[in-house]
Amino acid sequence: MKRKHIPGIILLFFLAAASSSFLISFKAAPISILKIENKRTASGNNYTIFHKNDMKLDVTLKRPLKSDKSIHLCIAGPFTDLVSLTVDGLFIDNGIVHNRNKINRSLGGGIKIINGECEIFPTQKGKLLNDSLIKSITAGKGSFFQQIQLIEKGKGAKFKDVKEFQRRAIVKLKQNKTAVIESYEHITLAAFTKDLLELGVLDAIYTDMGSWDEGWYRKGSSVETIGRLRTQTARQCNWVILKN
């Protein structure tokens, strides 16, 4: 009895189909764009570092959707005013100015975001937030908000706080690299600042935490929640995001 031979063209078809199936299954594997590091400082405190890399930093007054796959990290930014439930201090959202006449004179830092890149700088408790600075930000359709500046050019601010919360900050590292760093433990601002310096942070600005600490990040095809108190999330009014 003669053996039947499969014609070459049919064999090639089966091989191509098998190869395509392999590629499809390979591409379907979850890939995390966000680079995440975990580090422990000499204090024994543990930190998660979310690296910005080539993504863009942005702010928004509209609650980001977890279904928006262009967003890879979402956190609260400036404080929320407890009376009006709006942003505390001057806020510029992609060229649109909010609270021009409500500059917070107790917050010493600010962050300017243009074309997805940021600069953290002291505002001398709002004294430098003049019309000229605001115009320069809006001209580039940039964003801005006020917050506590923890570190300026490698020098940490002094704090006498005793309250312990989970902490989070937007930071500048060497070579002008941007990241978000979050503590695991509940610690004081003083302890947080000291640890950030150990982690190589050159500039750092705080982001809202305590009861307003809810955030999330994209890990492959899933979304992971960060922040452990989260009791004021429903009243949250602003967000900082990392997006493609």
Side-chain angles (χ1 to χ4, degrees):
M1 185 169 139
K2 293 183 179 180
R3 295 177 63 185
K4 293 182 179 180
H5 294 282
I6 299 175
I9 190 167
I10 296 177
L11 182 60
L12 286 173
F13 171 79
F14 281 115
L15 288 173
S19 177
S20 298
S21 298
F22 173 76
L23 287 173
I24 290 170
S25 64
F26 177 77
K27 288 179 180 178
I31 298 173
S32 181
I33 293 177
L34 189 64
K35 180 185 175 184
I36 302 172
E37 278 189 290
N38 294 294
K39 291 190 175 182
R40 176 179 292 182
T41 59
S43 64
N45 294 324
N46 296 280
Y47 291 91
T48 303
I49 305 172
F50 303 91
H51 291 275
K52 173 185 166 299
N53 290 339
D54 294 330
M55 287 183 283
K56 292 184 177 181
L57 191 69
D58 201 2
V59 300
T60 178
L61 293 174
K62 184 178 180 180
R63 186 181 294 272
L65 296 174
K66 293 180 180 179
S67 59
D68 184 348
K69 293 185 179 180
S70 70
I71 300 174
H72 293 269
L73 177 70
C74 175
I75 60 172
F79 294 129
T80 294
D81 182 89
L82 298 180
V83 177
S84 65
L85 295 182
T86 59
V87 176
D88 185 357
L90 176 66
F91 186 76
I92 304 175
D93 178 5
N94 290 277
I96 300 174
V97 181
H98 302 266
N99 299 347
R100 183 188 290 266
N101 299 319
K102 294 182 179 180
I103 293 173
N104 188 317
R105 304 293 177 183
S106 65
L107 294 174
I111 180 169
K112 176 173 65 175
I113 305 169
I114 297 180
N115 294 326
E117 301 295 336
C118 71
E119 178 186 352
I120 298 167
F121 59 94
T123 66
Q124 294 184 12
K125 294 193 174 180
K127 291 179 182 178
L128 300 183
L129 302 181
N130 51 38
D131 290 341
S132 176
L133 177 65
I134 293 172
K135 186 176 180 180
S136 71
I137 296 172
T138 57
K141 295 190 181 298
S143 301
F144 171 87
F145 64 83
Q146 294 183 260
Q147 254 294 357
I148 300 169
Q149 185 160 3
L150 306 172
I151 299 173
E152 180 191 352
K153 296 180 179 178
K155 183 177 181 180
K158 304 297 182 183
F159 298 102
K160 296 180 180 179
D161 61 316
V162 294
K163 292 183 178 180
E164 295 185 341
F165 292 108
Q166 194 177 13
R167 304 291 183 178
R168 191 184 292 146
I170 301 171
V171 308
K172 301 295 285 190
L173 301 163
K174 292 179 180 179
Q175 299 174 331
N176 202 35
K177 293 184 181 296
T178 302
V180 171
I181 299 183
E182 176 183 279
S183 73
Y184 177 79
E185 288 80 10
H186 288 234
I187 55 177
T188 64
L189 277 177
F192 185 45
T193 301
K194 182 179 178 181
D195 284 349
L196 289 180
L197 288 168
E198 183 182 329
L199 292 170
V201 172
L202 300 178
D203 291 287
I205 195 161
Y206 194 58
T207 57
D208 203 0
M209 289 296 281
S211 302
W212 309 79
D213 63 357
E214 180 170 339
W216 52 267
Y217 69 94
R218 196 168 302 284
K219 183 179 180 182
S221 58
S222 65
V223 173
E224 302 289 331
T225 301
I226 54 177
R228 294 198 294 276
L229 294 181
R230 306 198 296 264
T231 57
Q232 298 295 334
T233 299
R235 301 202 297 171
Q236 207 161 306
C237 70
N238 69 84
W239 296 265
V240 174
I241 58 176
L242 287 181
K243 63 182 183 179
N244 286 347

